[in-house]
Amino acid sequence: MSGVLLGTMTLSNYDHASASTKIEQSCEYTPVKGENPDFTTMNCLLTETALAYDVPPEIVKAIAEKENGNWKHFDEEGNPIVTDDNGIGAMQITNQAGYDEEMLKKDIPYNIKAGVEILDRMFDRKDLPVINNGERDVLENWYFAIMAYNGIKPENSPLVQKTGEVNDNAYQELVIKQLEELSILKLVDLPFSVSDFDYDPDSTENIVFLKKHYQVDSPLTKSKHYFKEDQYVSTTAEVNLRTRPTTDSPSLGKLSQGEKVTIEGPFEYEENTGKKNHFVWYPVKRMNGTTGYVASSYLESTFKDVPYGHYAYDEINFLADKGILYGVGQGNFGLEQELTRWQAVLLLTRANNVSLENRPNPGFEDVPTDYKYYSAIAAAVDEEMFDGVSPTEFNPNATLTRREMAKVLDNIYQFPEATSPHPFTDVQDGHWFSDPIARLYAAGISDGVTATQFGPMNPVTREQFAVFLARSISDEFKAN
């Protein structure tokens, strides 16, 4: 096994002279010389340390699994595991400078914290590619940090240079395999090309990353360790509601796929200390008041008022996961509410990462500089995303119409010219909205309200706009 190169990094915010840390106390860990903690305690140590650094615990637990299997730190004789390349302990730290080697060998929390700190620093490196906006709670976004944890050498190239096939033996691919199997998740395949990486496969020199940013429009995978009390979540599959945080406990019945439940408190660890779970357990309440425990792997954030199977369910949750839409409060999305022009501006500026700073005043009498959404409207107009209804009015509280929706989305996403006629008898050539509607229809962004009617003056609801926007962003949602 390969260890982790430390360089000159130091372990921050860790008083290893102290008798115990807060994490050790919260995990009720009492070290015994040469003895590995039980699985529940080790899960706690790995998870709590990861959360302290805002690193997804799934990543840390998968790395620890990959390194020694079963989260071991000591071998059968009670000696710290040290590999031929001097990788030490649970996180396989290859000590070069900045860490106490004896502490890495004898102190499991110290070893774990060293590994998590290194992983955190790898994520912040400026020479590694970034996926989307680099959100820390998205598991796929840690791909290159996991790679760098072991080393950005040719052996860890994401693709085999000669064939372009996925390099299944790359360190990060092996870690992700552990993550998927033991956290019961499926990560999205990332869009790599052999031209993204420059290296000599027969050399030990580092890979040079020629592509520094990847935009992945498919829904990515958020960590399952960040749900909060009173948050509404839904189940990703049919799953048992347990009486206690263990599969050894009786079932209170099956939760159906997509069923809404409320998080009742912080997650808990597997109560059977001999059972190794990479997931944790959340106490939840069903809509009928029944309470119990569900494994974190089977939960995802959602809105209370959007039922599973609703035509916009996936698109709404996709945009929510991207931080583009937030709902209307109290866990509700605002299903069937009409979307105002100012709300559309907020969604579109967020979706396109538009800076709201230092924009010229667009001069609308109904959008003074002290108007709550002035900055967003000014930025949208300055970016030529949105127009006013006249040179002096924006009409922010008016409901967005379908023809306005078509014009705005076409302004932003520049859909190709339609190569065949649309079927809408209520959209005549020559109108300011006719070409945008034709392009949206041809691109699979919007159908009509009937087979032959587009409904250009019809209002757009929040869920309808979520569908149109998700289709504009991701081919995965397109109608055609």
Side-chain angles (χ1 to χ4, degrees):
M1 296 180 189
S2 297
V4 182
L5 183 64
L6 293 186
T8 58
M9 293 183 284
T10 59
L11 197 60
S12 62
N13 301 320
Y14 188 89
D15 181 9
H16 53 77
S18 173
S20 63
T21 67
K22 290 182 180 179
I23 290 174
E24 290 175 74
Q25 291 172 348
S26 67
C27 294
E28 299 181 354
Y29 171 61
T30 302
V32 177
K33 184 178 180 181
E35 185 174 304
N36 293 305
D38 60 62
F39 288 133
T40 297
T41 302
M42 198 64 173
N43 189 354
C44 183
L45 292 172
L46 291 163
T47 299
E48 299 300 329
T49 307
L51 291 173
Y53 280 83
D54 196 20
V55 176
E58 293 93 336
I59 302 291
V60 175
K61 287 185 269 194
I63 288 175
E65 186 76 37
K66 161 66 180 70
E67 293 297 358
N68 290 325
N70 287 328
W71 295 335
K72 289 181 180 179
H73 184 85
F74 298 107
D75 63 20
E76 300 301 324
E77 286 73 42
N79 299 312
I81 296 172
V82 181
T83 57
D84 292 340
D85 61 353
N86 202 36
I88 300 171
M91 299 299 290
Q92 281 294 285
I93 310 298
T94 303
N95 193 43
Q96 300 235 334
Y99 287 81
D100 185 316
E101 186 168 329
E102 286 306 307
M103 290 287 289
L104 288 171
K105 290 179 178 179
K106 69 182 183 182
D107 189 323
I108 295 175
Y110 181 87
N111 187 286
I112 292 171
K113 202 157 190 178
V116 174
E117 182 174 73
I118 293 162
L119 187 62
D120 176 56
R121 289 176 183 252
M122 296 301 102
F123 190 81
D124 290 336
R125 281 175 56 166
K126 303 304 181 185
D127 61 328
L128 299 179
V130 174
I131 298 167
N132 287 0
N133 293 327
E135 301 90 343
R136 294 180 69 92
D137 62 340
V138 175
L139 302 183
E140 287 89 347
N141 290 357
W142 287 80
Y143 184 93
F144 290 102
I146 299 170
M147 177 185 182
Y149 185 89
N150 183 259
I152 55 172
K153 301 295 183 183
E155 65 186 26
N156 287 332
S157 172
L159 302 177
V160 178
Q161 193 180 67
K162 290 183 178 179
T163 66
E165 296 175 344
V166 174
N167 181 9
D168 292 328
N169 293 318
Y171 178 84
Q172 67 276 8
E173 294 291 338
L174 295 172
V175 169
I176 289 170
K177 182 178 179 180
Q178 296 283 3
L179 187 159
E180 291 181 326
E181 290 179 357
L182 297 169
S183 287
I184 319 176
L185 299 171
K186 180 67 177 78
L187 272 58
V188 172
D189 294 332
L190 298 174
F192 299 134
S193 169
V194 290
S195 61
D196 298 345
F197 315 103
D198 183 24
Y199 64 91
D200 178 353
D202 298 321
S203 171
T204 59
E205 295 296 318
N206 285 344
I207 293 171
V208 176
F209 299 97
L210 302 179
K211 185 171 181 176
K212 291 299 182 66
H213 181 260
Y214 292 88
Q215 183 62 42
V216 182
D217 294 329
S218 300
L220 298 183
T221 314
K222 285 199 170 188
S223 172
K224 307 293 186 174
H225 290 70
Y226 291 94
F227 300 128
K228 304 295 183 185
E229 187 173 359
D230 296 326
Q231 181 177 351
Y232 286 93
V233 295
S234 64
T235 55
T236 59
E238 185 179 78
V239 62
N240 283 302
L241 181 68
R242 298 287 181 180
T243 58
R244 301 192 312 278
T246 178
T247 53
D248 296 336
S249 67
S251 171
L252 294 167
K254 294 278 190 180
L255 299 176
S256 59
Q257 184 178 12
E259 183 171 343
K260 302 286 194 301
V261 293
T262 308
I263 300 293
E264 286 286 280
F267 63 70
E268 299 178 29
Y269 295 99
E270 169 68 45
E271 69 176 25
N272 181 344
T273 59
K275 182 172 290 186
K276 182 184 63 177
N277 291 333
H278 278 223
F279 54 81
V280 290
W281 294 90
Y282 275 97
V284 302
K285 180 189 287 186
R286 301 180 81 169
M287 294 304 176
N288 65 8
T290 304
T291 59
Y293 289 88
V294 177
S296 58
S297 301
Y298 297 102
L299 299 175
E300 63 181 1
S301 59
T302 191
F303 293 104
K304 177 172 60 174
D305 60 341
V306 182
Y308 181 75
H310 186 277
Y311 77 87
Y313 182 89
D314 289 338
E315 290 87 344
I316 288 169
N317 286 293
F318 168 69
L319 296 176
D321 281 346
K322 282 184 167 292
I324 293 170
L325 58 79
Y326 303 133
V328 297
Q330 298 184 326
N332 290 310
F333 168 72
L335 204 65
E336 299 183 0
Q337 292 183 17
E338 294 178 354
L339 187 80
T340 64
R341 285 169 56 85
W342 69 259
Q343 289 171 332
V345 165
L346 293 185
L347 293 174
L348 290 166
T349 51
R350 289 177 194 146
N352 292 278
N353 300 311
V354 174
S355 171
L356 309 186
E357 301 297 324
N358 302 317
R359 298 294 184 161
N361 189 328
F364 299 126
E365 294 175 358
D366 54 357
V367 184
T369 56
D370 60 353
Y371 181 70
K372 185 174 182 180
Y373 306 111
Y374 166 82
S375 295
I377 291 171
V381 172
D382 189 37
E383 293 286 336
E384 299 183 349
M385 299 167 66
F386 237 104
D387 296 320
V389 297
S390 78
T392 59
E393 286 187 302
F394 188 79
N395 209 358
N397 294 318
T399 298
L400 190 76
T401 63
R402 285 172 59 85
R403 66 181 187 177
E404 289 174 327
M405 173 275 298
K407 174 65 172 169
V408 166
L409 292 180
D410 191 51
N411 282 348
I412 296 168
Y413 297 105
Q414 299 288 302
F415 300 111
E417 290 293 330
T419 56
S420 59
H422 62 70
F424 307 125
T425 60
D426 57 352
V427 179
Q428 303 300 320
D429 291 344
H431 289 302
W432 58 265
F433 52 83
S434 59
D435 284 346
I437 288 173
R439 286 192 283 268
L440 259 68
Y441 176 75
I445 306 302
S446 176
D447 293 321
V449 295
T450 71
T452 59
Q453 299 283 301
F454 184 80
M457 290 298 293
N458 288 16
V460 176
T461 63
R462 289 173 57 82
E463 63 270 22
Q464 289 168 349
F465 193 76
V467 171
F468 301 144
L469 182 55
R471 288 175 178 175
S472 299
I473 293 172
S474 175
D475 289 342
E476 189 163 327
F477 297 108
K478 287 186 178 177
N480 296 345

